Amino acid sequence: MTARAYLDWNASAPLRPQAREAMLAALEVTGNPSSVHAEGRAARAIVERARAQVAELAGCAPAEVVFTSGATEAAQVLPRLARGGWVAVDPLAHECLWAHRGGGDGAPGVYAMPLAEGETGLLRGLPSRDEEGLWQTEAGSTPRLVVDAVQAVGRIPFDFARSGAQAAILSAHKLGGPRGVGALILREGVDIDSLAPGGGQELGRRSGTENVAGIAGFGAAAAAAAADMAAGLWEEVAALRDEMEAALMAAAPEAVIIGRDAPRLPNTTAIAVAGWKGETQVMQMDLAGFAISAGSACSSGKVRESRVLGALGLAPELARSAIRISIGPATPREAVMGFVAAWERHLRKHRARAA
C-alpha cells in the first residue's frame, strides 16, 4: 500500500518528536504540581518550564499564561470579560468564539476575533484604538479585545505584549503539541472569575490538577515552533504552497483559490471548483491516500454550508465545493505534487460526468 500523505495541518499538526520526548519524560514524574514535597516540586518545575516556553513563543510574560484543556475552554473567558456587556464576535471567528456571541443595546463589553482564519488561512488585522484606548470594531467601540491566535502562533510572528489585546487563546495541537491542552493568555492586571472553579490552580484562574505531560508537550512544541520560525522554514512552506497552487490552477483554470491575493497563512490553500462538492473530493482524496478537509475539523462531516465562507461572500454552490489543503515544514514536495496529480485525475472524471 502506498504511504499516505497528511495535508490537514490546520486541523491538527503532526506531533513533534520534541513534544513526544517531553511527554514521556513527564509521565515518569510522580508528584502533583501543587504538592510542596520534592516530587511535587519536580512536577511543578515541568509546568513552569513549559509556561516559559509558551510565553516566549506568544510574546507574553510567563505569569500571563493560563493552561487549559484547549482553545475551546480558553474561549470561555469571553463572558467573563464582557463585564455585564455583550460579547461581539468577528464573522470569520471559529465556532469556539462564535458560540459566545450575543447582542444588546449599546457597545459590546468585549470583541473576539481570529488572527488567522483556519478554513482559508486569511489573516485579520487588529482593529485600531481611539485616544481613550477603546477598540474600534465593526460592532462598535469596546474596551476589551480577545484574539484567537490558534492558527497563527508558530507560523507567523505574534507578540501579545505589543498587540494590546486583553487576552488570547492558543491550542497545543495546532503547532505540533498534544491534543487536549491549550492556553489562555491573560494580560497582567486583568482579573476574571475562574474558568473552572475549584482548588484554585493556575493562580485561581483555572482550577484542576494540571495535565503535566500534556503541558510538557505543549512547551516543547512551542520551543520547536519558535526555532522553525527563526530558521525560515515557513517561508519554504509558502513557496511549496504557491507551487502547488500554480499546478492546481494550470489543471483547473476555472477554479477559485479563496483569498489568493490577500494576506494568508503560509501553509493554507482553500480552492473550489463550482459543482464539484467538497465532501466528494475529500472522500476521493482519502481513498487515493491524501488527507485533506472540506472546512474546519469542528464542522467537517456536518452537511451544512460553511458560515465563514458565506461571510466572505462566496456563492453557496462555490462554498459547497471548497476544499482545504494545509501543509507544514515536514510535508515533502512529492506528497504535495502527488496530491495535485490525484486531484487532477479526479477532476477529469468529474468533468466527464458533468458533460
Side-chain angles (χ1 to χ4, degrees):
M1 179 179 176
T2 304
R4 290 182 58 81
Y6 185 73
L7 310 177
D8 199 16
W9 283 55
N10 284 14
S12 191
L15 185 68
R16 293 175 180 268
Q18 299 94 328
R20 180 182 292 106
E21 181 180 347
M23 292 172 70
L24 290 173
L27 287 170
E28 296 298 321
V29 176
T30 301
N32 185 313
S34 295
S35 298
V36 298
H37 48 58
E39 289 81 0
R41 295 196 302 275
R44 172 56 56 189
I46 293 171
V47 171
E48 296 311 317
R49 180 171 186 266
R51 199 185 307 276
Q53 291 169 317
V54 172
E56 179 70 21
L57 179 65
C60 67
E64 294 176 316
V65 176
V66 182
F67 287 118
T68 67
S69 62
T72 296
E73 182 185 15
Q76 294 180 27
V77 72
L78 286 173
R80 290 163 171 81
L81 284 179
R83 306 286 168 80
W86 58 282
V87 177
V89 181
D90 185 275
L92 302 190
H94 188 273
E95 296 298 333
C96 74
L97 299 177
W98 191 251
H100 296 284
R101 74 193 186 284
D105 297 329
V110 62
Y111 186 78
M113 60 168 292
L115 291 178
E117 192 282 310
E119 290 188 45
T120 63
L122 286 168
L123 303 183
R124 303 287 276 172
L126 294 177
S128 62
R129 301 177 85 173
D130 64 17
E131 62 277 4
E132 297 178 356
L134 297 176
W135 298 97
Q136 303 303 300
T137 76
E138 59 186 47
S141 299
T142 181
R144 287 171 285 275
L145 178 71
V146 175
V147 293
D148 173 2
V150 167
Q151 295 287 357
V153 165
R155 298 174 182 173
I156 60 173
F158 174 58
D159 189 332
F160 177 77
R162 296 184 62 184
S163 74
Q166 279 64 46
I169 64 174
L170 310 179
S171 182
H173 73 102
K174 303 295 189 181
L175 50 86
R179 291 173 290 275
V181 61
L184 167 66
I185 311 299
L186 191 65
R187 188 168 296 279
E188 184 180 2
V190 176
D191 295 323
I192 60 168
D193 292 335
S194 179
L195 296 176
Q201 289 87 348
E202 294 298 287
L203 297 179
R205 298 169 295 187
R206 195 272 187 183
S207 296
T209 300
E210 293 90 344
N211 175 5
V212 177
I215 289 169
F218 189 3
D228 283 354
M229 290 181 62
L233 295 190
W234 287 98
E235 285 82 354
E236 297 176 13
V237 171
L240 179 57
R241 187 270 313 271
D242 292 346
E243 181 183 1
M244 176 188 69
E245 290 184 350
L248 292 172
M249 293 303 293
E254 74 276 23
V256 174
I257 294 178
I258 302 161
R260 190 179 192 184
D261 297 325
R264 288 182 292 160
L265 289 172
N267 73 320
T268 307
T269 295
I271 186 169
V273 175
W276 189 14
K277 289 185 178 181
E279 291 88 348
T280 300
Q281 295 180 64
V282 170
M283 290 187 288
Q284 290 169 333
M285 293 300 99
D286 187 34
L287 292 172
F290 300 93
I292 63 170
S293 74
S296 73
C298 296
S299 60
S300 294
K302 301 181 178 68
V303 183
R304 65 184 184 192
E305 295 174 12
S306 165
R307 173 181 55 79
V308 167
L309 297 184
L312 288 171
L314 265 70
E317 183 183 22
L318 198 61
R320 287 192 293 268
S321 302
I323 59 170
R324 181 188 68 193
I325 306 100
S326 51
I327 60 178
T331 306
R333 180 181 182 276
E334 53 267 28
V336 172
M337 302 317 292
F339 160 76
V340 171
W343 187 83
E344 184 176 2
R345 287 195 301 271
H346 283 280
L347 174 63
R348 289 196 295 267
K349 294 178 181 178
H350 165 73
R351 287 170 172 164
R353 288 191 297 269

